[in-house]
Amino acid sequence: MLPLTPRIAPITRSVLDEGELLEQLVEGFGSPVNVVLPQSAGANVARFLDVYRRRRLRGRIHFAHKANRSSALLRQLSTTDAGVDVSSLEELQHALSSGFPPDRILATGPKDRAFLWLAAQTGVTVAVDSLAEISDIPGRNAKIMIRLSGFVSHGVQMVSRRSRFGIRVGDLDTALDLIDGRAELVGLAYHLDTVAVAEKAVAFEGALAALDKCRARGLRPWTLDIGGGYGVNYLADGAQWERYTSALAQAVLGNRPPMTWNGHGYGLRAENGTLRGSLTVYPAHRGAAGADYLDQLLDTPAPGQRRPLGDLLLDHMYDLDVEPGRALLDQCGLVLTRVVEVRRQDGDLLVRVDANARDVSTEEHGVLMDPVLLGKDEGEGDNDGEGEERGAYLLGNLCLESDLITRRQVRLPRTPRTGDLLVFVNTAGYFMDFVATTAVRRPVTPMVALYRRDGRWRWCLDENYWPEGAP
Amino acid sequence: MRFDDITEAIGNTPLVRIDPAVHGLRNIDLYAKMELLNPFGSVKDRAAWSMVRPMLAGAAERGDTVVELSSGNTAKALALIAGMHGLPFRSVTNRMKVPEIKDLLLLLGAEIDELPGQSECLDPTDTDDPLTRMYRRLTESGGGFVHTDQYFNELNVEAHLNGTGPEIVKDLDGNAPDYFIACVGTAGSSTGVARALRQHDPDTRVIGLVSAKNDFIPGIRTIDEVHEVGLFDPGVYDTVEPVSADEAIDGLLTLVRRCGMLAGPTGGGAYQGAVRFLRTVDASLTERRSAVFIICDRVESYLSYLRERRPALFGQPARPHSVGSLSPAEVAAAPVVAVEAAEAYARDALVIDLRSPYAYQALHIDGSINIVDEAFGEMLAAGLPFSRRQPVLLVCPVGEKSASYAALLQKMGHPAVHSLAGGVIAWRDADLPLVRD
């Protein structure tokens, strides 16, 4: 049984130590319960700011709101230097009502007319995604950025996945013609969905060239927005990750017993004894994640000019805007679930929790890590002599074959008992509500904010959380 | 030796004994198979020629492109062979991590397609491996192609079964070595040589070397990646052991500094892995044994790889006039001009903008000249590039680099040099004019 131990920061640890409080929350609200830790977010913002400070960079760190719908997190972030990136009318309304002034809000993503109207009316900067959006912007004073895509590399051809977003670089002139006099161009933006630094470097340099084109037309955009995708390191131990992924490949090849439900390969498959496909799981242990990844990107030489991207940015006097989502929510939340059934089937330990794979959507995002089983380790009921640690499959509460919290056999410190709490840590970024549903008439999971005041943990409903003190 | 065609020079490489004083093994003769002496520079010349040769007939007439999933030596050999036959060559790769090799391939006329990295927001349906992606790109491009398919092509193995292996036996006076140690990349050379040696002597022991997971040695696959190779058959190897990049570089240094062999990291890894393994059996031996490893390619293409991992190997003594030689106090005491006074000061001074050329060309202070900081540093190493009577104002983005250079110029005896405090960004923020020529 190969473990994947989650990385647990001291603040998360101190929440897990409050077993009685967590028990009361699940008893009161029913399983599952989403818990957010708003006071954790500031430290993540500070790490990004530190990279800016060391590099003498200016610009805004926008929290990508879509990562979590919580009001507590948003209100807390509004007390920091961070801005917010909103991608719907409702998120924009939420940001405005959570204390963000318009000059710290950036509207991104696909937009309808109502969204564009409220953004323009309040003076929020709009990152336009298509030529049609430019024409749809009301009034003449909106501040806009153009999101570009389809950057071209020279020499070595860097192939990127096709993106549904953004205006093609080749259409920049058309976009600028459309803008002419209708809005103020404050910058250019791109976002690439990749973890490859070299791929981002091509887009970065391409966007700098596009900004220069704007300058040649007499425009004065001062901001380069490079989007999100800085990542989170979810696991405590890189060696565990390497052992696990090696073993998974061997299991797919049939050289060791299956480690997943029905031998699921997470994208890998065996053909004539050779491993094919590719492992489609999130790189859960990463050398550089979050602010460190940004630092690494800025150190990368531009493929054409062969000077570090961060230096080029300063040379050109541009501000840098970024939109981290999960990286700003590292260690900012957990999901509490109740064990409702424990049974053995064909030699496997099956543990059913009162939650489904959409409530704790780590599997959908390919993040593999073990949950934390609360309660005492001694005096367990099921003493079957298999040693201390147990491998278990976690079943969800939907009447659906595929509803497993994860198809990976997880490692538990002991056999759980009905009634135990099983906690999924570090879930604030994308794993709480992004895909949650009300299928089989299950209610939407309640969300509570846990915060420290006067030396102890307190809680309230997420919507009732307001940060302490005046800004 | 007179040839009509350079491909005739492929193969028949020497087998050279390593001086026992270097490896320290008492009972084992260790030989290096000098594959780096192939005409295109590596062991892959054999496989590339063996695989592409049968497909060349009519390829030029059809307008085919030679394609391969390669990040190094196979691509290099195929690029040269394709060029000789008037065919374009395209390499598709997601693992080309050595910049010199990219540049060399471009010089040889190859096209390189680099595949995208993993997506940050996971798409679980995107399970294509690089080979599948390559086929799709080829289909999209419409033209015909010659795909050598090195990870699955038996001709890759046969090149060594009929060439490299028998050559080793011949050079050992008709005997197979007791031990054969090889790094595993496509598995072609290790599998082919192992088969040839075992046909001669079934007791030959074969040790495969792979790189440790999360490590990177060009040309060697990791313990996981070998399973993606169609030619890889675990049964070929008596043992498969990991070798680290650190060991590979140690081995490379021994070969280049003590043996006169210009081996690259793969050869270095093979040497170091061989000696490490052989030491474990050497002490218990009572009679002489022989062992062979392969030096796959040459060191020159890996300078940046080595510089990144062992910067000390390239250590240069500190130069007399460099910003690195300044103390923080000297930099802090650099003469500066505040942005309010700068416009007047700039009128009578030589204004040097240290930013990149593109940034300068886009917007700069009127009348300034552009010398990018790295070039300026090089110039100062040789002395003052302007008169002491000439007042100078140095400009960089935020006034940090310019302060260092101002301090350096002052130390070199220039009496009238200043740095623009806050740099060109402060100048812009003060709404002072910037021009674009």
Side-chain angles (χ1 to χ4, degrees), chain B residues 372-385:
Chain B
V372 66
D373 51 12
E374 288 160 9
F376 194 58
E378 293 287 323
M379 292 167 78
L380 294 193
L384 283 181

Side-chain angles (χ1 to χ4, degrees), chain A residues 294-310:
Chain A
L294 174 64
D295 209 26
Q296 194 183 61
L297 177 65
L298 294 173
D299 272 335
T300 304
Q305 300 187 43
R306 303 200 175 190
R307 188 171 167 86
L309 296 170

